Amino acid sequence: MKGKITGARELITGSSNSGASMKYFLMFLGVAVLFFALSFLFLPVVYLYPYKFALLFTLGSINVIIGLAFYHGPFAYLKVMFSRDKFVFSLMYILSIVFTIWASSMY
């Protein structure tokens, strides 16, 4: 039991780049590629269904962010993402993701 707690703590804090974190990184990256591919399939009809393209592309972006958080460790990734020089850009990116999901859920 103690080994599982230590492994979970290392996965969250990012103190070691274990195989489990790499597995989750690759899993979320694969799902992101799937969402991006599906969103690009909607490009020919984006004028008919813009919300489908936006939602799929946004879900791909969310999966990339989650995958990178598993790769670097969630707290370490958040610390880098919200550092002083990247704070405004990260905040605007997250707000654009939130508002894209809000706008595309209206249809």
Side-chain angles (χ1 to χ4, degrees):
M1 184 69 165
K2 191 172 187 176
K4 288 184 179 184
I5 293 173
T6 305
R9 184 176 296 135
E10 287 177 353
L11 184 65
I12 291 172
T13 60
S15 60
S16 82
N17 200 359
S18 66
S21 64
M22 186 61 71
K23 179 179 72 170
Y24 290 127
F25 165 68
L26 292 175
M27 182 180 67
F28 279 105
L29 193 65
V31 171
V33 167
L34 177 72
F35 278 127
F36 286 138
L38 287 173
S39 71
F40 287 128
L41 287 176
F42 279 99
L43 272 179
V45 292
V46 75
Y47 59 91
L48 294 174
Y49 306 108
Y51 57 93
K52 287 185 181 183
F53 171 78
L55 184 64
L56 289 170
F57 197 85
T58 302
L59 290 174
S61 297
I62 290 170
N63 278 297
V64 167
I65 290 172
I66 293 171
L68 287 172
F70 273 110
Y71 183 73
H72 295 289
F75 294 124
Y77 186 66
L78 285 175
K79 186 191 283 186
V80 169
M81 197 169 159
F82 290 108
S83 64
R84 175 169 248 183
D85 57 336
K86 297 178 185 177
F87 179 76
V88 174
F89 300 110
S90 298
L91 185 66
M92 296 306 271
Y93 186 63
I94 290 173
L95 285 175
S96 71
I97 286 175
V98 168
F99 285 127
T100 301
I101 291 174
W102 173 74
S104 63
S105 67
M106 290 185 161
Y107 287 98

